[in-house]
Amino acid sequence: MKRLYFIYTIPGFYNGLYQPVMARAFDHREDVEVRFLMDSSLLLDTLANGAEPTAAVERRLLHFAESCECAGADCIVVGCTAVNTATKKVAGLMDIPVLSVDEPVIQRVLADGKKKIAVLSHTPINAMTIRRRLLAENPQVQVELFPVAGAGDAFNAGRLEEFRALMKAGAEAIPEGFDAIVLGHISAEEVDFSQVKTPVYPTGRWCIEAIEKILEEV
């Protein structure tokens, strides 16, 4: 049995990020046991520091990752993009794979040679932190943020059809000339982007593929 740990910062992230996308991929696998660790201070202290993880946040995240490893984790996914830079540092100190939920999509879009990237999201923090990681990996890429007005309120209120319609319209309204659209939030995974001409990179899809590859190798 392979043990997969998710570290979240607030209960809403479990509901909005793990369910339904990750749950559909992993909850019914007989060879995988999913466990969770949660600490809101990681996000709160990061937001209080201008959305930059503090040294204390990095130390706590390392401690949490080590605790997950001690509990038998084969892979750890940090589901809060606000601490993605801290997760990158922690991953380099661990003996087991540790990844931020947005890391695989960042690596994928860069590996595909995309140079002008639009980040579409209903939450400014997600979009900003993904841009931060993209530029850290390749300062030469051009990254622009496209927040979708009203989509955050619709999502938080559970008006998912309205949310999906707004996100779809937001993607379709992105000007021509971009090489890729990165979805800044896993909640947009089920939006129909089939009419969008620019390639759309879903955060959840690439994260799931990365996790599955890791689990095959452990």
Side-chain angles (χ1 to χ4, degrees), residues 20-167:
V21 178
M22 292 294 183
R24 189 167 54 237
F26 298 110
D27 275 6
H28 303 293
R29 285 186 53 165
E30 295 182 355
D31 63 327
V32 177
E33 179 185 14
V34 179
R35 292 188 174 185
F36 302 92
L37 187 151
M38 188 175 300
D39 189 295
S40 62
S41 73
L42 296 173
L43 176 61
L44 295 176
D45 291 353
T46 297
L47 294 179
N49 192 49
E52 290 284 348
T54 64
V57 165
E58 293 175 0
R59 289 195 298 271
R60 291 203 301 279
L61 184 58
L62 175 60
H63 171 72
F64 294 149
E66 290 173 337
S67 295
C68 293
E69 184 178 16
C70 288
D74 294 297
C75 176
I76 301 169
V77 180
V78 180
C80 178
T81 64
V83 296
N84 58 9
T85 54
T87 304
K88 187 75 171 180
K89 291 181 181 179
V90 167
L93 301 173
M94 296 292 295
D95 294 326
I96 63 171
V98 178
L99 65 153
S100 177
V101 67
D102 59 331
E103 187 69 22
V105 75
I106 287 168
Q107 298 301 331
R108 181 71 264 167
V109 73
L110 293 175
D112 286 350
K114 306 303 182 181
K115 300 297 184 183
K116 188 175 181 181
I117 302 165
V119 181
L120 182 77
S121 184
H122 69 283
T123 59
I125 290 297
N126 286 92
M128 184 274 288
T129 53
I130 287 178
R131 177 174 63 182
R132 179 178 65 196
R133 282 289 303 118
L134 282 165
L135 293 174
E137 291 292 316
N138 184 354
Q140 303 304 314
V141 298
Q142 181 180 345
V143 185
E144 294 188 28
L145 307 184
F146 290 86
V148 181
D153 292 338
F155 180 76
N156 293 332
R159 303 192 303 271
L160 297 185
E161 289 303 318
E162 178 185 351
F163 165 75
R164 291 169 185 149
L166 287 168
M167 295 298 292

